[in-house]
Amino acid sequence: MKKIATIALVASLSASTAFAGGYTAPVVDATPVVAESSSSNAGILIPVLLLVGVAVAASSN
């Protein structure tokens, strides 16, 4: 009877220490997403078309 009580006591003590720290959620660092900027000629397209329009208008007079 003492052996069963000793085994039960050891089992209960070892089972309670398994949860001693509690649960903590893992910390996951998010990797930054770098968006590549595309080289667009849209900013220069309107002034060039305006310059061509002025040149055509000036040459027709």
Side-chain angles (χ1 to χ4, degrees):
M1 186 72 175
K2 282 186 177 182
K3 284 185 179 184
I4 295 174
T6 305
I7 291 172
L9 179 67
V10 168
S12 66
L13 288 177
S14 65
S16 65
T17 58
F19 299 107
Y23 176 74
T24 57
V27 177
V28 178
D29 294 332
T31 57
V33 177
V34 178
E36 295 291 329
S37 61
S38 62
S39 166
S40 175
N41 292 334
I44 200 168
L45 184 64
I46 294 174
V48 167
L49 289 176
L50 183 64
L51 184 62
V52 168
V54 169
V56 168
S59 67
S60 66
N61 282 337

